[in-house]
Amino acid sequence: MVSDGEIITEAIRLVDEGVSVTLPVNGRSMLPFIIGGKESVILQKPVSLQEGDVVLAWVDGCRHVVHRIIRIEGDSVTLMGDGNLAGTEHCALADVKAKVTHVVNADGIAHEIDNGWRRRAARIWFRLRPLRRYLLAIYKRL
């Protein structure tokens, strides 16, 4: 059986070679924009990065995450999952291994993640951090 770590390592190798890779995601840390266990993400080699981008990164020297960049200061990147209430992760720019370009839903339809309305919705969602606990509870019940 192939481990998650081996799959991610191979995905990063392919992305480094310029191949787009579709990777299933698990967990709830990117709700409501990415549904773990039901959706996948399409990864590409990051050409340029900016706040608001969703990326695959090696964080805190111990694990890979698919989270949103909330701050870039020099070589330092701060990330936060859209479904997280408070916690952030940190890495160097070099530890950002891929950029998410699309989310593939359960029906196999790919949706661009970096279009205008999704970026605006993500900015609004970020500002709603104090209310996320309640909004996510409602979302999960629906």
Side-chain angles (χ1 to χ4, degrees):
M1 178 130 202
V2 180
S3 72
D4 288 347
E6 291 171 314
I7 292 169
I8 291 172
T9 298
E10 182 63 13
I12 292 168
R13 186 187 68 74
L14 290 168
V15 165
D16 282 343
E17 292 179 4
V19 177
S20 291
V21 175
T22 302
L23 184 72
V25 292
N26 291 313
R28 296 180 172 209
S29 67
M30 284 302 290
L31 287 175
F33 297 102
I34 302 173
I35 303 168
K38 293 185 179 181
E39 296 182 323
S40 299
V41 293
I42 297 177
L43 304 172
Q44 290 186 348
K45 190 171 188 170
V47 177
S48 65
L49 296 170
Q50 61 183 355
E51 292 178 6
D53 286 344
V54 177
V55 297
L56 170 67
W58 178 252
V59 297
D60 300 327
C62 64
R63 63 192 168 102
H64 286 99
V65 297
V66 173
H67 282 172
R68 192 175 304 275
I69 295 174
I70 61 169
R71 190 175 311 112
I72 300 175
E73 294 175 335
D75 185 45
S76 179
V77 179
T78 303
L79 302 115
M80 182 179 200
D82 292 336
N84 292 351
L85 301 176
T88 59
E89 296 91 10
H90 304 277
C91 69
L93 274 172
D95 292 327
V96 175
K97 303 302 183 184
K99 182 176 177 179
V100 174
T101 60
H102 294 79
V103 176
V104 181
N105 68 19
D107 295 326
I109 299 170
H111 299 277
E112 187 178 354
I113 198 164
D114 200 24
N115 63 25
W117 83 265
R118 283 183 185 259
R119 201 166 269 278
R120 281 190 301 277
R123 278 195 301 268
I124 292 167
W125 183 251
F126 183 74
R127 290 186 191 119
L128 292 174
R129 281 184 322 249
L131 303 175
R132 276 188 191 178
R133 175 181 316 277
Y134 309 106
L135 297 171
L136 286 168
I138 293 167
Y139 176 82
K140 289 173 187 175
R141 287 194 177 99
L142 298 176

